[in-house]
Amino acid sequence: MDEFPEHATADGGAPSADPPPEKRPADGLELRPVPGSGRLPAAGTTTVGPVDPNERVEVTLVLRRSNPLPEDYSEDLTPEEFAENYGASEADITLVTSTLTALGAEILQTHAPSRRVRIAGSAATLSRAFGTTLQQATSATPTAEGAHRHRTGELSVPAALDEVVTAVLGLDDRPQSRALLQVVPAAQVATSYTPLELAEIYEFPANTDGSGQTIAIIELGGGFGQADLDAYFASLNLRTPQVTAVGVDGASNVAGQDPNGADGEVLLDIEVAGAIAPGATILVYFAPNTDAGFLDAVSEAAHASPPPVAMSISWGQSEDGWTGQARTAMDNAFADAAALGVTVTAAAGDNGSSDTAGVAAGTPHVDFPASSPHVLACGGTTLHANTATATVTSEVVWNDGTAGGATGGGVSDAFGLPAWQQQVGVPAVSGRSGRGVPDVAAVADPRTGYQVRVDGSDLVIGGTSAVAPLWAGLVARMSQASGRRFGLLNQALYADGSSGTVPPGFRDITQGNNGAWPAGAGWDACTGLGVPIGSSLVAALEGQTPGG
């Protein structure tokens, strides 16, 4: 699989004038560069001075695998099998911990299955160990607000750890991702739906509620209050699902601060997934909005015991907003999830084909983590339906123009075309084949959005943020109905696909565009394979081996 385009650096920036040095002595310490660690300045950032050399800094290191993962994910691995064969070796963990302890770092946590070592140290100690200079900065952009540490250029590791450590995350703790939700004034809402109504419209399998399944939800801010959940589910005549907050890297459930932002995201995710699959157990992982926090939350969720059946992610950022090392580390964590039988659903973005504010702004980009080939990327539609009869009047690509948002989608610059997607007609871009986004879709237009309750208020919210938990809930119900886990569901969904055709279990969306990409027959870069016909999808998947 191609990881990075030939014309760009690993972090999506312009090529450097000179190749990185093989050795970089620093204060007597011999260092080696970390591939893909180059970082550009954060947009809208003002540097205010060096970080206090005594400031405590926490960092996540990612280590190499002991063996490569199988590529077909045809058999779910147990956590024990995974740890024994595909985690980090004890020798590598010992080498990393001893090397960094000798340099003055503190070891906070080691986790061999997910190949992570968490360390802490003073800014001066870690800057020396990783060959960088940390600056204090302030940013004011949609994805970076307030004060944070900032770095540019490449990182390095002590020479003994060359090729053992594949990523160093968290030195620069700028906000990494944005919540992919959309809220419009009530006067602009044409119609709205409860998740229960959508489950009927999309024909989710009858007599299922997700019982016996666990859904993990990743959150990078905000929180939920029990009173909101109790009131919301009571309004739907449902028992409140079991919802548990899990703190990662010091983050926690903090509600009541941002109903149109992080709180809205958290409650949208829980309420959609919980209403779709009220019998499921829901674990909400709260992590800092940094590349290290995001990775750690995904890894903790994927390697939970037992692993969840689905993981919903409604946060993301354009592929070029990530360093290559962070993208690769995240993609490997999603590969872990797939191997353990976890289906990861991720929002495809709310800013059209450019993935930046304004549908027509800039050149086409896709959102990550939706562009990972180990994730089920979820696009969005505009839906008009009769809730009394659960019949669809019309459903087209969601595109409300530059002021209202549009579904993300397109062709990845960072990931090559997966084998399972080669027959559906993903277009080549500049002569290069890339992973097509999205894979699937459902309603996302806030003007035909989801009825939710946030911080004591009843709201209608849209965005592809809502589609990821809807599909996670569907996966939980399909797993309950079939008695199996689906892992990398993409392999099964595309198994019978070809260019211009609609595989079983989908209703094609053929009208509209998201800017650069038009809808059409079969897979397209707006709504993927289409929207689900849940009962038919379960039937279509019967008889297939898990993940294949």
PDB file of all heavy atoms in Angstrom, residues 259-295:
ATOM      1  N   PRO A 259     -22.583  23.599  24.149  1.00  0.00           N
ATOM      2  CA  PRO A 259     -23.644  22.808  23.527  1.00  0.00           C
ATOM      3  C   PRO A 259     -23.577  22.765  22.004  1.00  0.00           C
ATOM      4  O   PRO A 259     -24.061  21.811  21.387  1.00  0.00           O
ATOM      5  CB  PRO A 259     -24.927  23.486  24.009  1.00  0.00           C
ATOM      6  CG  PRO A 259     -24.512  24.864  24.409  1.00  0.00           C
ATOM      7  CD  PRO A 259     -23.111  24.732  24.926  1.00  0.00           C
ATOM      8  N   ASN A 260     -23.010  23.796  21.368  1.00  0.00           N
ATOM      9  CA  ASN A 260     -22.914  23.812  19.911  1.00  0.00           C
ATOM     10  C   ASN A 260     -21.594  23.240  19.401  1.00  0.00           C
ATOM     11  O   ASN A 260     -21.337  23.252  18.207  1.00  0.00           O
ATOM     12  CB  ASN A 260     -23.080  25.243  19.387  1.00  0.00           C
ATOM     13  CG  ASN A 260     -24.487  25.761  19.599  1.00  0.00           C
ATOM     14  OD1 ASN A 260     -25.452  25.012  19.471  1.00  0.00           O
ATOM     15  ND2 ASN A 260     -24.612  27.036  19.945  1.00  0.00           N
ATOM     16  N   GLY A 261     -20.769  22.752  20.310  1.00  0.00           N
ATOM     17  CA  GLY A 261     -19.475  22.211  19.916  1.00  0.00           C
ATOM     18  C   GLY A 261     -19.233  20.857  20.533  1.00  0.00           C
ATOM     19  O   GLY A 261     -19.907  19.882  20.221  1.00  0.00           O
ATOM     20  N   ALA A 262     -18.272  20.790  21.473  1.00  0.00           N
ATOM     21  CA  ALA A 262     -17.845  19.497  22.004  1.00  0.00           C
ATOM     22  C   ALA A 262     -18.965  18.773  22.747  1.00  0.00           C
ATOM     23  O   ALA A 262     -19.140  17.561  22.584  1.00  0.00           O
ATOM     24  CB  ALA A 262     -16.627  19.685  22.911  1.00  0.00           C
ATOM     25  N   ASP A 263     -19.735  19.484  23.588  1.00  0.00           N
ATOM     26  CA  ASP A 263     -20.843  18.814  24.279  1.00  0.00           C
ATOM     27  C   ASP A 263     -21.873  18.302  23.274  1.00  0.00           C
ATOM     28  O   ASP A 263     -22.412  17.198  23.431  1.00  0.00           O
ATOM     29  CB  ASP A 263     -21.540  19.777  25.252  1.00  0.00           C
ATOM     30  CG  ASP A 263     -20.783  19.950  26.554  1.00  0.00           C
ATOM     31  OD1 ASP A 263     -19.688  19.375  26.689  1.00  0.00           O
ATOM     32  OD2 ASP A 263     -21.283  20.667  27.435  1.00  0.00           O
ATOM     33  N   GLY A 264     -22.153  19.109  22.259  1.00  0.00           N
ATOM     34  CA  GLY A 264     -23.090  18.679  21.233  1.00  0.00           C
ATOM     35  C   GLY A 264     -22.606  17.422  20.551  1.00  0.00           C
ATOM     36  O   GLY A 264     -23.398  16.506  20.268  1.00  0.00           O
ATOM     37  N   GLU A 265     -21.302  17.344  20.303  1.00  0.00           N
ATOM     38  CA  GLU A 265     -20.741  16.155  19.677  1.00  0.00           C
ATOM     39  C   GLU A 265     -20.907  14.931  20.574  1.00  0.00           C
ATOM     40  O   GLU A 265     -21.342  13.862  20.136  1.00  0.00           O
ATOM     41  CB  GLU A 265     -19.255  16.373  19.370  1.00  0.00           C
ATOM     42  CG  GLU A 265     -18.603  15.217  18.652  1.00  0.00           C
ATOM     43  CD  GLU A 265     -19.288  14.939  17.331  1.00  0.00           C
ATOM     44  OE1 GLU A 265     -19.139  15.738  16.412  1.00  0.00           O
ATOM     45  OE2 GLU A 265     -19.982  13.906  17.253  1.00  0.00           O
ATOM     46  N   VAL A 266     -20.542  15.073  21.836  1.00  0.00           N
ATOM     47  CA  VAL A 266     -20.594  13.942  22.756  1.00  0.00           C
ATOM     48  C   VAL A 266     -22.016  13.406  22.889  1.00  0.00           C
ATOM     49  O   VAL A 266     -22.264  12.193  22.773  1.00  0.00           O
ATOM     50  CB  VAL A 266     -20.044  14.350  24.134  1.00  0.00           C
ATOM     51  CG1 VAL A 266     -20.268  13.240  25.155  1.00  0.00           C
ATOM     52  CG2 VAL A 266     -18.558  14.704  24.040  1.00  0.00           C
ATOM     53  N   LEU A 267     -22.971  14.304  23.120  1.00  0.00           N
ATOM     54  CA  LEU A 267     -24.343  13.855  23.336  1.00  0.00           C
ATOM     55  C   LEU A 267     -24.989  13.356  22.048  1.00  0.00           C
ATOM     56  O   LEU A 267     -25.777  12.409  22.064  1.00  0.00           O
ATOM     57  CB  LEU A 267     -25.154  14.969  23.987  1.00  0.00           C
ATOM     58  CG  LEU A 267     -24.832  15.088  25.484  1.00  0.00           C
ATOM     59  CD1 LEU A 267     -25.055  16.486  26.009  1.00  0.00           C
ATOM     60  CD2 LEU A 267     -25.649  14.084  26.291  1.00  0.00           C
ATOM     61  N   LEU A 268     -24.661  13.982  20.925  1.00  0.00           N
ATOM     62  CA  LEU A 268     -25.129  13.459  19.640  1.00  0.00           C
ATOM     63  C   LEU A 268     -24.677  12.018  19.457  1.00  0.00           C
ATOM     64  O   LEU A 268     -25.474  11.132  19.113  1.00  0.00           O
ATOM     65  CB  LEU A 268     -24.594  14.333  18.507  1.00  0.00           C
ATOM     66  CG  LEU A 268     -24.836  13.837  17.072  1.00  0.00           C
ATOM     67  CD1 LEU A 268     -26.314  13.945  16.711  1.00  0.00           C
ATOM     68  CD2 LEU A 268     -23.982  14.636  16.079  1.00  0.00           C
ATOM     69  N   ASP A 269     -23.397  11.755  19.693  1.00  0.00           N
ATOM     70  CA  ASP A 269     -22.853  10.411  19.491  1.00  0.00           C
ATOM     71  C   ASP A 269     -23.535   9.395  20.403  1.00  0.00           C
ATOM     72  O   ASP A 269     -23.940   8.312  19.966  1.00  0.00           O
ATOM     73  CB  ASP A 269     -21.352  10.408  19.753  1.00  0.00           C
ATOM     74  CG  ASP A 269     -20.556  11.221  18.745  1.00  0.00           C
ATOM     75  OD1 ASP A 269     -21.110  11.542  17.682  1.00  0.00           O
ATOM     76  OD2 ASP A 269     -19.392  11.541  19.025  1.00  0.00           O
ATOM     77  N   ILE A 270     -23.634   9.735  21.692  1.00  0.00           N
ATOM     78  CA  ILE A 270     -24.214   8.790  22.647  1.00  0.00           C
ATOM     79  C   ILE A 270     -25.688   8.562  22.352  1.00  0.00           C
ATOM     80  O   ILE A 270     -26.177   7.421  22.371  1.00  0.00           O
ATOM     81  CB  ILE A 270     -24.038   9.306  24.084  1.00  0.00           C
ATOM     82  CG1 ILE A 270     -22.556   9.384  24.457  1.00  0.00           C
ATOM     83  CG2 ILE A 270     -24.786   8.409  25.075  1.00  0.00           C
ATOM     84  CD1 ILE A 270     -22.299  10.081  25.783  1.00  0.00           C
ATOM     85  N   GLU A 271     -26.411   9.642  22.079  1.00  0.00           N
ATOM     86  CA  GLU A 271     -27.858   9.518  21.911  1.00  0.00           C
ATOM     87  C   GLU A 271     -28.223   8.798  20.621  1.00  0.00           C
ATOM     88  O   GLU A 271     -29.184   8.013  20.586  1.00  0.00           O
ATOM     89  CB  GLU A 271     -28.498  10.908  21.998  1.00  0.00           C
ATOM     90  CG  GLU A 271     -28.446  11.446  23.423  1.00  0.00           C
ATOM     91  CD  GLU A 271     -28.812  12.909  23.572  1.00  0.00           C
ATOM     92  OE1 GLU A 271     -29.107  13.570  22.543  1.00  0.00           O
ATOM     93  OE2 GLU A 271     -28.798  13.410  24.712  1.00  0.00           O
ATOM     94  N   VAL A 272     -27.472   9.029  19.555  1.00  0.00           N
ATOM     95  CA  VAL A 272     -27.755   8.311  18.304  1.00  0.00           C
ATOM     96  C   VAL A 272     -27.412   6.832  18.463  1.00  0.00           C
ATOM     97  O   VAL A 272     -28.235   5.949  18.193  1.00  0.00           O
ATOM     98  CB  VAL A 272     -26.984   8.931  17.120  1.00  0.00           C
ATOM     99  CG1 VAL A 272     -27.114   8.050  15.881  1.00  0.00           C
ATOM    100  CG2 VAL A 272     -27.521  10.322  16.825  1.00  0.00           C
ATOM    101  N   ALA A 273     -26.195   6.529  18.902  1.00  0.00           N
ATOM    102  CA  ALA A 273     -25.814   5.128  19.068  1.00  0.00           C
ATOM    103  C   ALA A 273     -26.696   4.435  20.099  1.00  0.00           C
ATOM    104  O   ALA A 273     -27.117   3.288  19.908  1.00  0.00           O
ATOM    105  CB  ALA A 273     -24.347   5.021  19.475  1.00  0.00           C
ATOM    106  N   GLY A 274     -27.007   5.141  21.195  1.00  0.00           N
ATOM    107  CA  GLY A 274     -27.799   4.556  22.261  1.00  0.00           C
ATOM    108  C   GLY A 274     -29.236   4.309  21.883  1.00  0.00           C
ATOM    109  O   GLY A 274     -29.846   3.330  22.324  1.00  0.00           O
ATOM    110  N   ALA A 275     -29.807   5.186  21.072  1.00  0.00           N
ATOM    111  CA  ALA A 275     -31.184   4.974  20.631  1.00  0.00           C
ATOM    112  C   ALA A 275     -31.264   3.896  19.555  1.00  0.00           C
ATOM    113  O   ALA A 275     -32.226   3.125  19.510  1.00  0.00           O
ATOM    114  CB  ALA A 275     -31.776   6.283  20.106  1.00  0.00           C
ATOM    115  N   ILE A 276     -30.259   3.841  18.692  1.00  0.00           N
ATOM    116  CA  ILE A 276     -30.238   2.799  17.662  1.00  0.00           C
ATOM    117  C   ILE A 276     -30.052   1.425  18.307  1.00  0.00           C
ATOM    118  O   ILE A 276     -30.680   0.440  17.915  1.00  0.00           O
ATOM    119  CB  ILE A 276     -29.102   3.062  16.649  1.00  0.00           C
ATOM    120  CG1 ILE A 276     -29.377   4.332  15.834  1.00  0.00           C
ATOM    121  CG2 ILE A 276     -28.895   1.859  15.734  1.00  0.00           C
ATOM    122  CD1 ILE A 276     -30.544   4.238  14.884  1.00  0.00           C
ATOM    123  N   ALA A 277     -29.165   1.348  19.314  1.00  0.00           N
ATOM    124  CA  ALA A 277     -28.850   0.069  19.970  1.00  0.00           C
ATOM    125  C   ALA A 277     -28.964   0.238  21.483  1.00  0.00           C
ATOM    126  O   ALA A 277     -27.950   0.213  22.202  1.00  0.00           O
ATOM    127  CB  ALA A 277     -27.448  -0.389  19.573  1.00  0.00           C
ATOM    128  N   PRO A 278     -30.174   0.409  22.003  1.00  0.00           N
ATOM    129  CA  PRO A 278     -30.332   0.697  23.433  1.00  0.00           C
ATOM    130  C   PRO A 278     -29.932  -0.444  24.346  1.00  0.00           C
ATOM    131  O   PRO A 278     -29.697  -0.230  25.541  1.00  0.00           O
ATOM    132  CB  PRO A 278     -31.824   1.007  23.563  1.00  0.00           C
ATOM    133  CG  PRO A 278     -32.467   0.311  22.404  1.00  0.00           C
ATOM    134  CD  PRO A 278     -31.465   0.390  21.300  1.00  0.00           C
ATOM    135  N   GLY A 279     -29.828  -1.657  23.796  1.00  0.00           N
ATOM    136  CA  GLY A 279     -29.400  -2.782  24.610  1.00  0.00           C
ATOM    137  C   GLY A 279     -27.900  -2.908  24.731  1.00  0.00           C
ATOM    138  O   GLY A 279     -27.406  -3.711  25.527  1.00  0.00           O
ATOM    139  N   ALA A 280     -27.152  -2.117  23.972  1.00  0.00           N
ATOM    140  CA  ALA A 280     -25.694  -2.210  23.989  1.00  0.00           C
ATOM    141  C   ALA A 280     -25.114  -1.453  25.183  1.00  0.00           C
ATOM    142  O   ALA A 280     -25.709  -0.520  25.710  1.00  0.00           O
ATOM    143  CB  ALA A 280     -25.113  -1.649  22.695  1.00  0.00           C
ATOM    144  N   THR A 281     -23.928  -1.873  25.585  1.00  0.00           N
ATOM    145  CA  THR A 281     -23.138  -1.123  26.555  1.00  0.00           C
ATOM    146  C   THR A 281     -22.306  -0.097  25.797  1.00  0.00           C
ATOM    147  O   THR A 281     -21.701  -0.429  24.766  1.00  0.00           O
ATOM    148  CB  THR A 281     -22.212  -2.066  27.337  1.00  0.00           C
ATOM    149  OG1 THR A 281     -23.019  -2.985  28.079  1.00  0.00           O
ATOM    150  CG2 THR A 281     -21.306  -1.300  28.273  1.00  0.00           C
ATOM    151  N   ILE A 282     -22.287   1.143  26.295  1.00  0.00           N
ATOM    152  CA  ILE A 282     -21.570   2.212  25.596  1.00  0.00           C
ATOM    153  C   ILE A 282     -20.431   2.704  26.480  1.00  0.00           C
ATOM    154  O   ILE A 282     -20.649   3.125  27.623  1.00  0.00           O
ATOM    155  CB  ILE A 282     -22.514   3.372  25.234  1.00  0.00           C
ATOM    156  CG1 ILE A 282     -23.591   2.874  24.262  1.00  0.00           C
ATOM    157  CG2 ILE A 282     -21.731   4.541  24.624  1.00  0.00           C
ATOM    158  CD1 ILE A 282     -24.625   3.916  23.905  1.00  0.00           C
ATOM    159  N   LEU A 283     -19.223   2.659  25.954  1.00  0.00           N
ATOM    160  CA  LEU A 283     -18.034   3.179  26.624  1.00  0.00           C
ATOM    161  C   LEU A 283     -17.573   4.424  25.879  1.00  0.00           C
ATOM    162  O   LEU A 283     -17.315   4.360  24.676  1.00  0.00           O
ATOM    163  CB  LEU A 283     -16.918   2.137  26.635  1.00  0.00           C
ATOM    164  CG  LEU A 283     -17.232   0.805  27.329  1.00  0.00           C
ATOM    165  CD1 LEU A 283     -16.031  -0.147  27.218  1.00  0.00           C
ATOM    166  CD2 LEU A 283     -17.599   1.016  28.782  1.00  0.00           C
ATOM    167  N   VAL A 284     -17.501   5.555  26.588  1.00  0.00           N
ATOM    168  CA  VAL A 284     -17.110   6.825  25.976  1.00  0.00           C
ATOM    169  C   VAL A 284     -15.707   7.175  26.448  1.00  0.00           C
ATOM    170  O   VAL A 284     -15.482   7.434  27.636  1.00  0.00           O
ATOM    171  CB  VAL A 284     -18.103   7.950  26.339  1.00  0.00           C
ATOM    172  CG1 VAL A 284     -17.766   9.213  25.548  1.00  0.00           C
ATOM    173  CG2 VAL A 284     -19.540   7.517  26.067  1.00  0.00           C
ATOM    174  N   TYR A 285     -14.751   7.156  25.514  1.00  0.00           N
ATOM    175  CA  TYR A 285     -13.344   7.422  25.826  1.00  0.00           C
ATOM    176  C   TYR A 285     -13.052   8.900  25.630  1.00  0.00           C
ATOM    177  O   TYR A 285     -13.130   9.412  24.509  1.00  0.00           O
ATOM    178  CB  TYR A 285     -12.441   6.575  24.935  1.00  0.00           C
ATOM    179  CG  TYR A 285     -12.475   5.104  25.276  1.00  0.00           C
ATOM    180  CD1 TYR A 285     -13.514   4.292  24.817  1.00  0.00           C
ATOM    181  CD2 TYR A 285     -11.492   4.524  26.060  1.00  0.00           C
ATOM    182  CE1 TYR A 285     -13.561   2.938  25.137  1.00  0.00           C
ATOM    183  CE2 TYR A 285     -11.523   3.161  26.382  1.00  0.00           C
ATOM    184  CZ  TYR A 285     -12.561   2.389  25.920  1.00  0.00           C
ATOM    185  OH  TYR A 285     -12.612   1.058  26.231  1.00  0.00           O
ATOM    186  N   PHE A 286     -12.736   9.606  26.720  1.00  0.00           N
ATOM    187  CA  PHE A 286     -12.400  11.026  26.667  1.00  0.00           C
ATOM    188  C   PHE A 286     -10.885  11.181  26.693  1.00  0.00           C
ATOM    189  O   PHE A 286     -10.206  10.678  27.597  1.00  0.00           O
ATOM    190  CB  PHE A 286     -13.005  11.765  27.857  1.00  0.00           C
ATOM    191  CG  PHE A 286     -14.495  11.929  27.765  1.00  0.00           C
ATOM    192  CD1 PHE A 286     -15.342  11.030  28.386  1.00  0.00           C
ATOM    193  CD2 PHE A 286     -15.054  12.985  27.055  1.00  0.00           C
ATOM    194  CE1 PHE A 286     -16.722  11.172  28.314  1.00  0.00           C
ATOM    195  CE2 PHE A 286     -16.432  13.132  26.964  1.00  0.00           C
ATOM    196  CZ  PHE A 286     -17.278  12.223  27.596  1.00  0.00           C
ATOM    197  N   ALA A 287     -10.343  11.881  25.694  1.00  0.00           N
ATOM    198  CA  ALA A 287      -8.902  12.067  25.586  1.00  0.00           C
ATOM    199  C   ALA A 287      -8.611  13.515  25.206  1.00  0.00           C
ATOM    200  O   ALA A 287      -9.474  14.214  24.661  1.00  0.00           O
ATOM    201  CB  ALA A 287      -8.321  11.131  24.532  1.00  0.00           C
ATOM    202  N   PRO A 288      -7.397  14.003  25.461  1.00  0.00           N
ATOM    203  CA  PRO A 288      -7.025  15.342  24.995  1.00  0.00           C
ATOM    204  C   PRO A 288      -7.067  15.410  23.473  1.00  0.00           C
ATOM    205  O   PRO A 288      -6.777  14.428  22.786  1.00  0.00           O
ATOM    206  CB  PRO A 288      -5.588  15.506  25.514  1.00  0.00           C
ATOM    207  CG  PRO A 288      -5.448  14.513  26.617  1.00  0.00           C
ATOM    208  CD  PRO A 288      -6.312  13.350  26.231  1.00  0.00           C
ATOM    209  N   ASN A 289      -7.392  16.577  22.956  1.00  0.00           N
ATOM    210  CA  ASN A 289      -7.462  16.774  21.506  1.00  0.00           C
ATOM    211  C   ASN A 289      -6.070  17.056  20.949  1.00  0.00           C
ATOM    212  O   ASN A 289      -5.752  18.155  20.495  1.00  0.00           O
ATOM    213  CB  ASN A 289      -8.423  17.906  21.160  1.00  0.00           C
ATOM    214  CG  ASN A 289      -8.641  18.045  19.663  1.00  0.00           C
ATOM    215  OD1 ASN A 289      -8.189  17.208  18.883  1.00  0.00           O
ATOM    216  ND2 ASN A 289      -9.318  19.088  19.251  1.00  0.00           N
ATOM    217  N   THR A 290      -5.225  16.032  21.007  1.00  0.00           N
ATOM    218  CA  THR A 290      -3.870  16.078  20.458  1.00  0.00           C
ATOM    219  C   THR A 290      -3.650  14.797  19.663  1.00  0.00           C
ATOM    220  O   THR A 290      -4.439  13.846  19.772  1.00  0.00           O
ATOM    221  CB  THR A 290      -2.816  16.159  21.577  1.00  0.00           C
ATOM    222  OG1 THR A 290      -2.887  14.953  22.368  1.00  0.00           O
ATOM    223  CG2 THR A 290      -3.057  17.358  22.482  1.00  0.00           C
ATOM    224  N   ASP A 291      -2.576  14.741  18.881  1.00  0.00           N
ATOM    225  CA  ASP A 291      -2.330  13.498  18.148  1.00  0.00           C
ATOM    226  C   ASP A 291      -2.071  12.346  19.108  1.00  0.00           C
ATOM    227  O   ASP A 291      -2.548  11.224  18.899  1.00  0.00           O
ATOM    228  CB  ASP A 291      -1.210  13.652  17.116  1.00  0.00           C
ATOM    229  CG  ASP A 291       0.101  14.198  17.660  1.00  0.00           C
ATOM    230  OD1 ASP A 291       0.248  14.337  18.897  1.00  0.00           O
ATOM    231  OD2 ASP A 291       0.999  14.487  16.842  1.00  0.00           O
ATOM    232  N   ALA A 292      -1.361  12.607  20.207  1.00  0.00           N
ATOM    233  CA  ALA A 292      -1.110  11.559  21.185  1.00  0.00           C
ATOM    234  C   ALA A 292      -2.400  11.122  21.876  1.00  0.00           C
ATOM    235  O   ALA A 292      -2.646   9.922  22.056  1.00  0.00           O
ATOM    236  CB  ALA A 292      -0.092  12.034  22.225  1.00  0.00           C
ATOM    237  N   GLY A 293      -3.233  12.086  22.269  1.00  0.00           N
ATOM    238  CA  GLY A 293      -4.474  11.746  22.938  1.00  0.00           C
ATOM    239  C   GLY A 293      -5.405  10.942  22.057  1.00  0.00           C
ATOM    240  O   GLY A 293      -6.034   9.973  22.505  1.00  0.00           O
ATOM    241  N   PHE A 294      -5.515  11.344  20.790  1.00  0.00           N
ATOM    242  CA  PHE A 294      -6.379  10.638  19.836  1.00  0.00           C
ATOM    243  C   PHE A 294      -5.917   9.187  19.687  1.00  0.00           C
ATOM    244  O   PHE A 294      -6.705   8.236  19.776  1.00  0.00           O
ATOM    245  CB  PHE A 294      -6.335  11.369  18.494  1.00  0.00           C
ATOM    246  CG  PHE A 294      -7.556  11.183  17.624  1.00  0.00           C
ATOM    247  CD1 PHE A 294      -7.857  12.117  16.628  1.00  0.00           C
ATOM    248  CD2 PHE A 294      -8.395  10.094  17.758  1.00  0.00           C
ATOM    249  CE1 PHE A 294      -8.972  11.971  15.812  1.00  0.00           C
ATOM    250  CE2 PHE A 294      -9.518   9.933  16.944  1.00  0.00           C
ATOM    251  CZ  PHE A 294      -9.793  10.865  15.964  1.00  0.00           C
ATOM    252  N   LEU A 295      -4.616   9.007  19.452  1.00  0.00           N
ATOM    253  CA  LEU A 295      -4.074   7.655  19.297  1.00  0.00           C
ATOM    254  C   LEU A 295      -4.305   6.824  20.550  1.00  0.00           C
ATOM    255  O   LEU A 295      -4.715   5.654  20.477  1.00  0.00           O
ATOM    256  CB  LEU A 295      -2.584   7.710  18.983  1.00  0.00           C
ATOM    257  CG  LEU A 295      -1.908   6.332  18.978  1.00  0.00           C
ATOM    258  CD1 LEU A 295      -2.333   5.509  17.781  1.00  0.00           C
ATOM    259  CD2 LEU A 295      -0.394   6.457  19.042  1.00  0.00           C
TER     260      LEU A 295
END
